[in-house]
Amino acid sequence: MRTLPRSFYDRDTILVAEDLLGKYLVHADRAGRIVEVEAYLGPHDLAAHSARGLTERTKVMFGPPGHAYVYMIYGMYYCMNVVTEREGHASAVLLRAVEPIQNVNGRTQGPGLLCKAMGIDRRLNAHDLLSDDFYIAEPPKEKPFTIAKRPRIGVEYAGRWAKRHLRFYIKGNPFVSRL
DNA sequence: TGCACGATGAAC
DNA sequence: TTCATCGTGCAC
């Protein structure tokens, strides 16, 4: 499998989000096919963590593209994002669900369960995705699919940003967390 | 130094 | 609709 190059992530976040669908997320001996994601467009996007500026937690979002932004949510789950666009722009794509491909145990529907099943935790925060043990790759073979677009989950507080269709998933895939 | 609150998931 | 559970961010 071919690991996605840095240039893949150094592009418009919405394009990266849509292109991540169908790709393989690999961590150690585990692999999952990405079937649902959400785009967080930068400091101006009120639903994005980077909207409150550069902080200890969000500094990875402000860094170079192609790195993982992993944080703990509600004191019990981890969420994984892929940092996009040029350094300093602070945008990212949240991985919400994967389809089990290899050595994945348990449910993978939802960002928290996805990380649990893939063995992803805070140790992988800021990890470069152009590495040998944790990366995203072009799948060996891929059949055509339709991309569905819906509002993001759990960001009702973000005003008009909450209404935008920035969640993307593979239409008809049974591993998508929510329709 | 203290405290309110989540880009969740599961139970009721 | 409620709750578990804790790191982060900002108020004091």
Side-chain angles (χ1 to χ4, degrees):
Chain A
M1 282 193 289
R2 193 172 83 256
T3 300
L4 299 181
R6 186 84 57 200
S7 57
F8 176 90
Y9 304 101
D10 190 8
R11 297 182 296 145
D12 177 83
T13 303
I14 291 177
L15 292 179
V16 175
E18 295 190 46
D19 287 349
L20 277 173
L21 293 176
K23 298 294 188 290
Y24 280 14
L25 170 66
V26 182
H27 175 218
D29 63 338
R30 314 183 204 199
R33 177 170 174 257
I34 299 170
V35 299
E36 181 183 359
V37 301
E38 283 182 358
Y40 286 86
L41 307 184
H44 52 291
D45 176 357
L46 296 182
H49 288 168
S50 54
R52 290 176 209 176
L54 196 162
T55 66
E56 185 57 33
R57 179 178 65 151
T58 64
K59 63 183 180 184
V60 182
M61 283 185 78
F62 288 81
H67 289 252
Y69 166 40
V70 181
Y71 66 92
M72 172 165 273
I73 184 70
Y74 299 113
M76 48 180 64
Y77 295 104
Y78 289 101
C79 287
M80 175 191 168
N81 298 252
V82 170
V83 177
T84 62
E85 305 200 35
R86 70 181 186 284
E87 183 167 359
H89 187 268
S91 53
V93 175
L94 169 69
L95 304 187
R96 284 194 58 88
V98 300
E99 174 181 338
I101 296 295
Q102 173 183 284
N103 296 323
V104 177
N105 299 310
R107 301 181 63 198
T108 56
Q109 300 174 255
L113 293 178
L114 179 162
C115 285
K116 186 164 183 276
M118 291 289 295
I120 297 168
D121 61 31
R122 64 185 305 104
R123 292 173 303 186
L124 291 174
N125 184 40
H127 195 98
D128 191 353
L129 292 173
L130 271 76
S131 58
D132 296 330
D133 59 338
F134 189 38
Y135 58 93
I136 298 175
E138 197 73 46
K141 58 180 183 296
E142 187 61 72
K143 22 190 185 311
F145 54 77
T146 300
I147 296 177
K149 306 177 182 183
R150 296 285 184 280
R152 293 172 292 186
I153 303 298
V155 296
E156 295 74 17
Y157 59 82
R160 63 189 176 87
W161 287 94
K163 298 187 175 68
R164 293 192 53 178
H165 289 196
L166 293 173
R167 182 165 65 97
F168 309 95
Y169 62 85
I170 294 179
K171 189 175 181 181
N173 187 285
F175 296 95
V176 167
S177 72
R178 293 184 56 174
L179 299 180

